[in-house]
């Protein structure tokens, strides 16, 4: 996909802001380890797809938004992997940051990546400071409390979980950030793009639950069966494999229907359809489960 | 001091942004625990003092800046207290956040406070988005990598420490943020205010070294003599007590001399002098050491 190169370039440019002759070298290496090589870069891909569909009149702002969103995602992975959360030894097929660099640098790498996300947007503001401020506000709201991924992760420390709020914040928030930031970077209103992001987020949540239940650790590139092991709520536990697959298809159909009218509407619908195919591959069908 | 009430109000308003019916209640409580009751709120006091000296034409932006800076400081305390760093049981006379709420919520509270700092500034941008962007850029640079407090803390994981870079980032960075954000919130350039912040930061570092060497554990409210016990570099080890006291006076004299020309220059100089008195009280004089 043509967006891939654009995203990697934006993420590399963002990481360059964190480098300096005066910086502690191991923390610098930990940041690179956390961000490269990337995973699927799904959130920035959605963001740039929406920006493109909306005309992408300020590609520099869209690129910075894509990088910022990916940095927040990477930060969340580094912190979620910590011993006090998932205690994951591996991530994206290599050692997790705390395994490679120790816990102190993993905490600091996550912190630094969160800060860097906002710095990237501030640096890219240029002649459009108002758009940059809007982008930073959306990113903050979908990252922190009360409705961002921090809130989502926080629900796992509650005795009683509000499941809807948990999923909306833990998985949905950054997908909503993706669609809304893509639109705002291109000068459009954020509000009409919330539903698409929320639906894509729900679809990913269900697809993740299916993967966790059905794939091997080798196929995942990280430990499998974690939902069951940690007795975490999941769509598979709730409605079974077949039910979850059918639910996933419903969500994605609604996602396509929710796309606001924009110049690149048809192409964006095609992209969501392509993701839908990827999310429900043959080997995730109920037959194997 | 009249600024105290203003700062508390700004911090309370900032925390309000993190609250919501949908938020996980324990993480919400952990944020309050991390921020209230406050310590000396020194950094926001310096920030508002500089803003006032510069005319303070946008008090809403100055208040948001003060709150944002204090939130970053609180976040750093929460993360620095974690078992993988200082493993501190207490902070500001009560349980540290991880002792009161567990490690997962301490990690998330720190993350959420960092994000909230930028959200507060984004929300306060109003008709001055360019100033808000500048404020967010300064805050990010003094918080993250390569030169912010994350970098400073990161040096502690290096085998060989660049001491100058370590002190500049670990202690100096947020004092530079304080003077520069105060100036920028009031519409002035950031650059002329760097030296004052750096000098105040150095003074605090030397004062801390003196306290560690000279006060009793009861006077400190925490273990004393830690620098010598851990053979840590300190101004006292380097130049003796008398030398360190004299060095402190030089730094503060230079700080006052460095204050850029501004309407409230005299009052600001008086404030720095008052801090200097506080930092070198009678019982810290060489006579006793």
């Amino acid at each position: 996909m043509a967006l891939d190169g654009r995203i990697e370039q934006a993420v590399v440019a963002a990481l360059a802001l964190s480098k300096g002759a005066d910086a502690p070298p191991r923390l610098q290496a930990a940041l690179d380890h956390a961000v490269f090589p990337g995973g699927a870069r799904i959130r920035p891909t959605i963001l740039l797809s929406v920006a493109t569909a909306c005309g992408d009149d300020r590609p520099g702002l869209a690129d910075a938004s894509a990088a910022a969103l990916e940095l927040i995602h990477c930060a969340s992975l580094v912190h979620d992997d910590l011993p006090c959360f998932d205690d994951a030894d591996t991530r994206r097929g290599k050692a997790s940051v705390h395994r490679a660099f120790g816990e102190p640098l993993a905490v600091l790498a996550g912190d630094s990546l969160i800060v860097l996300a906002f710095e990237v947007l501030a640096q890219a503001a240029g002649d459009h400071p108002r758009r940059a401020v809007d982008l930073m506000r959306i990113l903050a709201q979908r990252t922190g409390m009360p409705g961002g991924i921090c809130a989502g992760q926080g629900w796992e420390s509650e005795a009683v979980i509000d499941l809807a709020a948990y999923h909306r914040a833990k998985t949905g928030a950054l997908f909503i950030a993706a669609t809304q930031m893509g639109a705002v970077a291109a000068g459009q209103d954020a509000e009409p793009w919330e539903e698409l992001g929320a639906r894509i987020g729900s679809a990913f949540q269900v697809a993740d639950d299916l993967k966790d239940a059905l794939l091997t650790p080798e196929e995942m590139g990280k430990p499998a069966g974690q939902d069951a092991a940690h007795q975490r709520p999941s769509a598979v536990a709730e409605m079974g494999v077949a039910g979850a697959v059918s639910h996933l298809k419903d969500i994605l159909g609604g996602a396509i229907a929710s796309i606001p009218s924009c110049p690149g509407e048809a192409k964006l619908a095609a992209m969501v359809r392509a993701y839908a195919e990827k999310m429900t591959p043959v080997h995730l069908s109920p037959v194997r489960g």
Side-chain angles (χ1 to χ4, degrees), chain A:
Chain A
M1 188 182 283
L3 294 180
D4 286 1
R6 196 175 155 188
I7 291 167
E8 283 316 292
Q9 212 164 30
V11 175
V12 167
L15 259 284
L17 292 176
S18 75
K19 296 184 194 303
D22 266 9
R26 292 188 69 231
L27 179 53
Q28 199 154 285
L31 295 188
D32 284 334
H33 187 97
V35 177
F36 305 109
R41 309 281 198 215
I42 294 168
R43 292 157 192 80
T45 303
I46 293 169
L47 190 155
L48 289 186
S49 300
V50 171
T52 304
C54 291
D56 197 20
D57 68 338
R58 303 291 297 181
L61 262 186
D63 285 351
S65 300
L69 185 59
E70 181 64 14
L71 294 178
I72 292 288
H73 174 59
C74 291
S76 77
L77 299 181
V78 173
H79 280 185
D80 287 359
D81 283 344
L82 285 170
C84 68
F85 292 111
D86 293 350
D87 197 14
D89 292 335
T90 58
R91 166 69 67 182
R92 292 173 176 169
K94 60 181 187 176
S96 55
V97 174
H98 68 94
R99 278 284 167 197
F101 295 90
E103 263 190 86
L105 289 180
V107 171
L108 292 172
D111 292 354
S112 303
L113 291 173
I114 295 171
V115 174
L116 186 58
F118 291 97
E119 187 176 351
V120 169
L121 286 166
Q123 295 282 9
D127 294 336
H128 284 72
R130 193 171 301 281
R131 276 195 210 178
V133 165
D134 288 343
L135 289 165
M136 287 189 265
R137 192 178 52 241
I138 293 169
L139 187 61
Q141 286 171 338
R142 303 302 177 181
T143 302
M145 280 277 280
I149 53 171
C150 290
Q153 188 71 20
W155 276 111
E156 296 185 11
S157 292
E158 295 291 333
V160 181
I161 298 184
D162 177 339
L163 266 185
Y166 169 64
H167 284 309
R168 203 160 48 229
K170 168 130 189 179
T171 315
L174 289 194
F175 287 101
I176 297 174
T179 54
Q180 291 193 321
M181 290 175 78
V184 170
Q188 302 302 307
D189 279 350
E191 195 280 326
W193 290 90
E194 178 167 351
E195 185 178 347
L196 177 63
R199 282 182 171 272
I200 296 175
S202 298
F204 267 84
Q205 181 62 52
V206 177
D208 246 25
D209 292 352
L210 281 163
K211 279 187 203 158
D212 186 75
L214 302 176
L215 296 190
T216 65
E218 291 70 34
E219 288 170 311
M220 297 267 283
K222 62 179 181 180
Q226 293 295 296
D227 291 338
H230 295 274
Q231 295 187 292
R232 284 196 291 239
S234 102
V236 175
E238 201 185 316
M239 50 188 96
V241 169
V245 169
S246 152
H247 183 46
L248 178 56
K249 287 182 178 163
D250 288 348
I251 296 170
L252 285 164
I256 291 166
S258 83
I259 295 174
S261 169
C262 60
E265 193 179 333
K267 212 172 154 192
L268 191 58
M271 185 213 73
V272 177
R273 248 180 239 111
Y275 268 116
E277 300 276 319
K278 262 200 221 170
M279 274 192 264
T280 49
V282 176
H283 67 290
L284 274 185
S285 76
V287 178
R288 185 163 171 267

